[in-house]
Amino acid sequence: MLNFYFDTETDSHKSFELPGARPHYNPDRPGQVEHIFLDLVLDIPNQSFQGTCTLHLNPVRSGIETLTLDAINLDIQAVKIEENQQEFEYDGEQLQIHLHQPTVANQLIKLVITYAVTHPQRGLYFISPNKDYPNKPIQVWTQGEDEDSRFWFPCFDYPGQLATSEIRVQVPKQYLAISNGDLIQTETKGKTKIYHWSQKQIHPTYLMTLAVGDFAEIKDEWKGIPVLYYVEKNRKDDALRSMGKTPQMIEFFSEYFGYSYPYPKYAQVCVDDFIFGGMENTSTTLLTDRCLLDERATLDNRNTESLVAHELAHQWFGDLVVIKHWSHAWIKEGMATYSEVLWTEQHYGKEEAAYYRLNQAKNYFSEDSSRYRRPIVTHIYREAIELYDRHLYEKGACVYHLIRTELGDELFQKAIQTFVQDNAHKTVETIDLLRALEKATGCNLMPLFDQYVFRGGHPEYKVSYSWDNHSKLAKITIKQNQAKESDKLSEKNLFDLKIPIGFGYKPDKKSPETAVKFKTFTVRVHEREQTFYFPLEEKPNFISFDVNNNILKTVKLDYAVAELKAQLQYDPDPISRIYAAKSLAQKGGLEAVRALSHALKNDKFWGVRVEVAKQLVRVKLNQVFEGLVAGLTDDDPRVRRAVVHSLATLKTTESYQVLKPLLEKGDPSYLVEAALATGLGEIAATHCEDKHLVEQTIKQLKSVLKEREGWNEVVRSGAISGLSKMKISEDALNLILKYTTPGIPQALRLTSIRALGTISTGQTPTNIERILQRLEELSNETFFLTQVAVVASLEQMETPKAMAILQSLADQTLDGRVRRRAEEAIQNVQGKIGSEPALKKLREELDKIKKENQELRSRLETLEAKSKTTKPDKG
Ligand SMILES: [Zn+2]
């Protein structure tokens, strides 16, 4: 939640670099690994395997006596070259092989390492049923990125080494085993089956994979290349619904990247308890099975389609063109994320793509303002996985869009194609992208990279406009608010960009069918404050700053209500309309409410209606209620959801009366139902003096929990979130606690764990103790998502004990993402404890005053509106 009252505008961002961060480099290279062959025998019941790993190494020079491989917690049994045993030392992290004979440059050596692994902690995961989850499938799957392959085989585990690979694996006969490349042989041996896979195109160790399970195989194809979907057998119907556009996407990306899909097959395997959304292993992507959609979920879920596009795009950006070092991971993650935009544009049109891009930018802005600011490219960190954040993905995507904007569509595509073609089957750094861009277009994009890639931040513009009717001049003043006057070094925070400014003229009243006319000027904006004067024949109806909104920026529009209203109604760019809505809401007043209500009803693009619903509720006038209610019948479930959310934010009993029957009746969309359940809880919580209302709400949410199981437990999770808002209710807490116990479906349980933190802040000391106790128990579970939920929960608490649990979780977890989150959470809890309780009281008082003011103003606006309509129009 944003705290508008106590925000202090400041330049200081938290540091990305946590204590212990240091520069990271690729290691020296003893030679080129040309081939990796793993031969494994899985013992699934005992969660172990026996294997040999054969590495073909071509030494780069003569005289190397020791090779150092990454290998964590493996049981190394022997190391041989030919038939000769080699001496080795092993400390559980690195395997040092003392070569019998020193290397001779370019004389290939074949290292054969015999080893075993029992209960691997990372890298390779055994999934099996247990007493709490007896229906869990038996599966084995791997996750290498970023540096976890070393947990399941010894290797030079960094992306700078590319090799061909082979995996031969023996599994119980009933299971399928899927891996990179071609299946070159299968063999049945008693109760077991051997699958032999071969990947003939070179790739890094982190993309080697294996997935084993009792999967259904659904076959599709693209130009004769098999496209395969693997899911648990009872999810067969969901497979095509969720991944069925893959061949179309392969066609699109092959074309767009100017390089035909490079591998002999494309498989997607949906696995249980996956610790990422998806992983682009070469030719064999693994996806979380939570992405599988049932029919109802397809109504308003586009995440799965985006996930499929993202991982597929990596087959080019990441797998074919490989990053040399994690510090340059934005090249692949930025492009895979931008590919979601490209696919959206191609498949759903420009408006959808623009809105998709805006939401990506917002994700980045949120990290930038609430967590830290960093350059996209940096090699200073504790663990590489820390880099996998919103800067890498979403800001990276926005940078690709900036490049496209600077070059234009045609040259951008040409440059991207040059980059892919020149670097296929090679490793790259950011400089290689710059060089390809220059080679293909002649343009030096270093200035852009300097501003957006090699340093943190983005421009934060404030734009003001006025019209001088006498001289027919439009005056536009642009400020770069991210660069503060007081900051002596602020020059370095300025951006130097060319920005198109459009003056819009709405269609003639006589021929409303004609298009909006624009007069556009492009100006260079590079100072802290600049004023421009534009001669125009006629006063424009509205101003479109950064026409089409291609620049990654935030912007405050300081225009008069008339211009904002006209922009909201007529600007053809949906993002401009959204900015206009936001500025209108900031202005407030009845006129703004009317314009926004009109847009919520009439804007033809659902994304604008969603944003308008969010803005409308920010105007503190009672009249917004009516405007919002009209949106409840919107055809698009995404709009209905936003409207429900806003009505809940109003927190009035009128909203409650409107939403309650809707939850009873149900909605075609899971997400809308979830929002209704959460919203009712939220409203009831603010009327805690009304015992009846609270009891009635808990009863209703309880029945939702009983009756509305379904896809990924979305609706029931909504009910839990609703309960979590009722912070002083012990009944609500007891219900939530019940749903945190083992055996509860995972998605619902994770929401319940998070909800414990939310509800904690209103509970009695005894109940806070109960919550802490449960969270402490839960913090001992090793599953990644459980740990993330525990951290998120503790982070919301306001007690030193929460910090202690977070600290021990940070110390014990094997996941770098959890470690980082836990440490950030400790800082946040500390911050909150520091500001207790005087600030809290002040905040409550302010809330009260605001509410009283709102009532007064609402009455005043109504009176004024009435008196206005009776006056003659002055023209
Ligand atoms: Zn990715």
Side-chain angles (χ1 to χ4, degrees):
M1 196 181 105
L2 274 173
N3 191 342
F4 296 107
Y5 315 140
F6 299 104
D7 262 6
T8 46
E9 290 219 338
T10 164
D11 254 1
S12 62
H13 284 77
K14 278 184 212 150
S15 172
F16 165 72
E17 294 158 19
L18 292 179
R22 59 177 178 83
H24 283 75
Y25 309 95
N26 276 344
D28 292 337
R29 192 170 56 99
Q32 182 59 44
V33 177
E34 295 189 341
H35 188 65
I36 301 173
F37 176 32
L38 302 181
D39 196 354
L40 312 175
V41 178
L42 295 191
D43 178 354
I44 293 175
N46 290 312
Q47 306 210 337
S48 64
F49 63 91
Q50 175 69 43
T52 58
C53 168
T54 307
L55 293 169
H56 298 229
L57 181 80
N58 191 0
V60 70
R61 57 190 162 91
S62 303
I64 298 170
E65 292 175 339
T66 302
L67 297 173
T68 305
L69 274 75
D70 302 301
I72 296 191
N73 293 341
L74 309 182
D75 172 16
I76 307 284
Q77 294 156 349
V79 181
K80 283 184 187 173
I81 294 176
E82 304 298 327
E83 280 312 300
N84 301 320
Q85 295 276 1
Q86 308 290 309
E87 278 177 35
F88 64 87
E89 282 171 70
Y90 182 51
D91 62 1
E93 285 188 11
Q94 287 196 316
L95 174 63
Q96 300 220 338
I97 302 169
H98 303 296
L99 298 174
H100 219 58
Q101 277 171 345
T103 58
V104 178
N106 297 319
Q107 221 170 75
L108 200 75
I109 49 177
K110 219 166 99 191
L111 279 169
V112 181
I113 303 162
T114 312
Y115 70 107
V117 180
T118 311
H119 295 293
Q121 290 172 306
R122 311 275 302 165
L124 185 143
Y125 299 76
F126 289 94
I127 305 298
S128 60
N130 56 42
K131 71 174 188 346
D132 297 315
Y133 297 95
N135 297 322
K136 218 176 201 7
I138 290 177
Q139 290 180 356
V140 179
W141 47 260
T142 65
Q143 172 59 36
E145 191 172 15
D146 45 357
E147 294 176 341
D148 284 351
S149 286
R150 60 188 70 177
F151 283 85
W152 67 289
F153 61 95
C155 52
F156 296 99
D157 198 9
Y158 65 97
Q161 282 273 7
L162 307 183
T164 54
S165 71
E166 245 174 297
I167 296 182
R168 189 162 68 188
V169 60
Q170 181 178 322
V171 298
K173 205 161 54 178
Q174 66 268 37
Y175 300 124
L176 285 175
I178 304 128
S179 181
N180 314 96
D182 283 307
L183 183 61
I184 53 173
Q185 208 187 3
T186 56
E187 188 190 327
T188 309
K189 220 169 140 186
K191 284 182 176 169
T192 68
K193 192 165 174 181
I194 295 169
Y195 289 84
H196 190 162
W197 291 88
S198 166
Q199 165 71 33
K200 294 187 182 69
Q201 294 90 356
I202 54 173
H203 66 156
T205 49
Y206 83 87
L207 293 173
M208 286 174 67
T209 192
L210 178 63
V212 179
D214 184 16
F215 298 116
E217 180 186 63
I218 294 112
K219 287 184 183 166
D220 205 336
E221 62 151 351
W222 175 74
K223 290 192 176 170
I225 293 176
V227 174
L228 307 147
Y229 314 119
Y230 297 92
V231 294
E232 280 295 305
K233 285 180 171 155
N234 58 357
R235 304 300 295 274
K236 217 172 157 178
D237 292 343
D238 299 340
L240 276 177
R241 188 184 288 132
S242 312
M243 299 175 278
K245 286 178 185 161
T246 307
Q248 273 173 276
M249 291 181 185
I250 298 180
E251 173 76 24
F252 172 62
F253 290 130
S254 292
E255 181 89 3
Y256 199 92
F257 297 146
Y259 201 103
S260 195
Y261 177 78
Y263 305 111
K265 65 138 198 289
Y266 186 56
Q268 290 167 95
V269 191
C270 296
V271 297
D272 189 77
D273 273 359
F274 198 49
I275 57 169
F276 283 83
M279 179 62 214
E280 70 272 18
N281 305 301
T282 318
S283 80
T284 306
T285 285
L286 302 196
L287 300 169
T288 167
D289 61 3
R290 287 183 292 273
C291 81
L292 289 168
L293 305 172
D294 73 5
E295 205 173 338
R296 197 176 154 198
T298 53
L299 193 61
D300 48 3
N301 180 304
R302 281 275 312 286
N303 296 349
T304 294
E305 193 171 324
S306 291
L307 176 66
V308 169
H310 180 109
E311 303 307 335
L312 176 62
H314 271 315
Q315 299 298 319
W316 289 264
F317 275 79
D319 300 4
L320 178 66
V321 177
V322 184
I323 49 156
K324 193 169 196 162
H325 188 263
W326 304 120
S327 52
H328 301 284
W330 81 277
I331 295 173
K332 74 179 182 81
E333 291 305 342
M335 181 47 100
T337 307
Y338 190 53
S339 293
E340 300 166 27
V341 176
L342 292 173
W343 169 252
T344 302
E345 184 173 327
Q346 137 87 17
H347 202 67
Y348 297 96
K350 275 194 180 309
E351 284 199 326
E352 295 270 353
Y355 185 53
Y356 197 98
R357 202 158 42 72
L358 176 73
N359 282 318
Q360 288 188 338
K362 277 187 188 168
N363 282 337
Y364 151 68
F365 293 142
S366 147
E367 176 173 272
D368 177 78
S369 60
S370 69
R371 282 186 81 193
Y372 49 73
R373 169 172 289 182
R374 70 175 182 88
I376 296 182
V377 173
T378 176
H379 67 309
I380 301 171
Y381 48 79
R382 288 195 316 201
E383 299 174 72
I385 198 71
E386 293 177 281
L387 296 172
Y388 289 69
D389 61 4
R390 304 298 200 183
H391 283 71
L392 199 74
Y393 287 75
E394 281 91 346
K395 190 180 186 190
C398 292
V399 169
Y400 275 107
H401 189 73
L402 283 163
I403 301 171
R404 180 176 165 193
T405 304
E406 179 129 346
L407 298 176
D409 284 0
E410 205 175 306
L411 280 184
F412 175 70
Q413 212 180 328
K414 185 183 170 207
I416 290 300
Q417 296 187 351
T418 302
F419 178 63
V420 173
Q421 286 156 7
D422 286 1
N423 295 289
H425 308 295
K426 289 183 193 159
T427 58
V428 294
E429 297 169 275
T430 303
I431 188 70
D432 297 300
L433 178 59
L434 274 165
R435 284 191 180 132
L437 292 167
E438 204 274 339
K439 180 182 165 191
T441 69
C443 299
N444 178 8
L445 285 138
M446 196 58 178
L448 188 74
F449 278 48
D450 255 346
Q451 299 180 73
Y452 279 102
V453 179
F454 298 120
R455 75 177 192 200
H458 53 266
E460 296 164 19
Y461 297 115
K462 183 178 173 192
V463 185
S464 328
Y465 157 81
S466 62
W467 173 251
D468 178 349
N469 203 36
H470 181 70
S471 47
K472 304 273 182 212
L473 282 177
K475 176 185 174 190
I476 299 269
T477 302
I478 303 169
K479 284 187 191 165
Q480 296 198 39
N481 278 343
Q482 80 284 357
K484 296 280 183 296
E485 301 249 11
S486 55
D487 179 2
K488 280 199 184 110
L489 296 169
S490 65
E491 289 294 323
K492 76 176 170 36
N493 289 323
L494 287 172
F495 280 74
D496 184 349
L497 299 166
K498 289 190 274 311
I499 302 179
I501 297 175
F503 296 94
Y505 298 89
K506 63 187 187 192
D508 206 307
K509 269 192 187 135
K510 283 172 211 153
S511 46
E513 300 308 307
T514 50
V516 168
K517 284 199 190 77
F518 270 111
K519 182 120 178 77
T520 303
F521 303 83
T522 297
V523 295
R524 178 183 171 206
V525 178
H526 60 110
E527 286 168 30
R528 191 175 291 124
E529 180 171 341
Q530 280 166 282
T531 297
F532 302 92
Y533 294 90
F534 303 95
L536 298 168
E537 280 161 26
E538 250 186 294
K539 185 184 180 194
N541 297 112
F542 61 92
I543 304 91
S544 208
F545 176 76
D546 184 21
V547 178
N548 294 325
N549 287 288
N550 289 315
I551 290 168
L552 177 63
K553 61 172 188 298
T554 60
V555 60
K556 279 185 186 154
L557 306 178
D558 184 19
Y559 312 154
V561 169
E563 276 77 22
L564 292 172
K565 272 173 65 183
Q567 183 163 27
L568 176 59
Q569 193 167 355
Y570 296 107
D571 199 314
D573 176 22
I575 309 309
S576 288
R577 300 205 293 279
I578 289 167
Y579 282 132
K582 197 173 167 192
S583 300
L584 259 179
Q586 261 155 11
K587 294 236 170 215
L590 204 52
E591 218 180 336
V593 173
R594 283 201 187 119
L596 291 166
S597 301
H598 181 267
L600 178 56
K601 232 189 222 162
N602 298 300
D603 198 286
K604 59 189 189 313
F605 179 54
W606 66 271
V608 174
R609 301 202 300 279
V610 164
E611 298 302 321
V612 164
K614 289 186 196 165
Q615 294 305 326
L616 195 45
V617 72
R618 298 179 60 203
V619 184
K620 300 298 172 205
L621 287 176
N622 294 343
Q623 287 85 345
V624 303
F625 174 73
E626 221 172 298
L628 283 170
V629 166
L632 283 172
T633 50
D634 200 290
D635 285 339
D636 196 301
R638 294 164 291 192
V639 180
R640 292 200 299 279
R641 184 183 176 201
V643 169
V644 168
H645 189 75
S646 287
L647 280 168
T649 309
L650 286 180
K651 296 192 172 84
T652 59
T653 42
E654 287 83 358
S655 313
Y656 190 91
Q657 297 311 335
V658 172
L659 298 181
K660 188 178 183 313
L662 292 180
L663 179 60
E664 276 159 18
K665 192 172 104 210
D667 189 279
S669 151
Y670 290 119
L671 291 167
V672 175
E673 265 182 39
L676 285 163
T678 306
L680 287 178
E682 200 173 339
I683 302 172
T686 47
H687 299 275
C688 50
E689 72 288 346
D690 185 345
K691 290 250 158 41
H692 174 69
L693 187 79
V694 172
E695 271 169 33
Q696 177 190 310
T697 308
I698 293 181
K699 203 175 143 205
Q700 195 178 3
L701 295 180
K702 209 170 172 176
S703 85
V704 169
L705 283 167
K706 242 189 215 136
E707 292 156 16
R708 302 209 192 167
E709 275 179 55
W711 180 75
N712 281 359
E713 296 294 358
V714 168
V715 179
R716 295 209 285 168
S717 294
I720 289 288
S721 299
L723 286 168
S724 76
K725 311 279 181 186
M726 298 198 246
K727 294 178 196 257
I728 57 168
S729 164
E730 187 168 6
D731 291 344
L733 172 64
N734 288 338
L735 257 175
I736 294 173
L737 278 167
K738 194 175 119 195
Y739 282 91
T740 62
T741 50
I744 296 294
Q746 196 192 74
L748 182 57
R749 186 169 180 243
L750 292 172
T751 309
S752 305
I753 294 171
R754 281 171 201 265
L756 285 180
T758 317
I759 202 169
S760 72
T761 53
Q763 296 290 324
T764 61
T766 321
N767 279 337
I768 291 178
E769 233 5 83
R770 286 170 69 205
I771 292 171
L772 284 164
Q773 206 175 349
R774 177 60 55 87
L775 287 171
E776 190 162 18
E777 284 160 27
L778 289 163
S779 74
N780 294 321
E781 292 186 21
T782 52
F783 180 49
F784 165 70
L785 290 177
T786 310
Q787 294 190 339
V788 170
V790 169
V791 170
S793 199
L794 288 164
E795 187 169 23
Q796 300 172 70
M797 299 190 70
E798 293 168 357
T799 146
K801 182 98 186 282
M803 288 162 65
I805 303 173
L806 284 164
Q807 190 57 58
S808 87
L809 186 54
D811 294 341
Q812 281 165 34
T813 183
L814 293 166
D815 196 293
R817 294 171 291 177
V818 175
R819 187 158 28 250
R820 167 137 208 149
R821 283 289 181 178
E823 289 182 17
E824 287 180 26
I826 291 170
Q827 290 177 11
N828 291 340
V829 177
Q830 192 149 38
K832 271 185 295 188
I833 295 174
S835 65
E836 286 268 295
L839 200 61
K840 214 171 165 184
K841 184 138 192 285
L842 189 63
R843 197 182 303 164
E844 280 164 13
E845 276 168 20
L846 254 169
D847 269 335
K848 207 174 144 215
I849 295 168
K850 266 210 147 182
K851 195 150 188 266
E852 286 165 3
N853 270 341
Q854 175 178 339
E855 275 157 21
L856 273 174
R857 261 193 307 129
S858 304
R859 275 159 54 196
L860 190 66
E861 290 270 357
T862 314
L863 282 173
E864 275 182 357
K866 268 187 196 154
S867 68
K868 253 183 213 159
T869 47
T870 53
K871 275 183 206 157
D873 196 357
K874 282 181 190 160

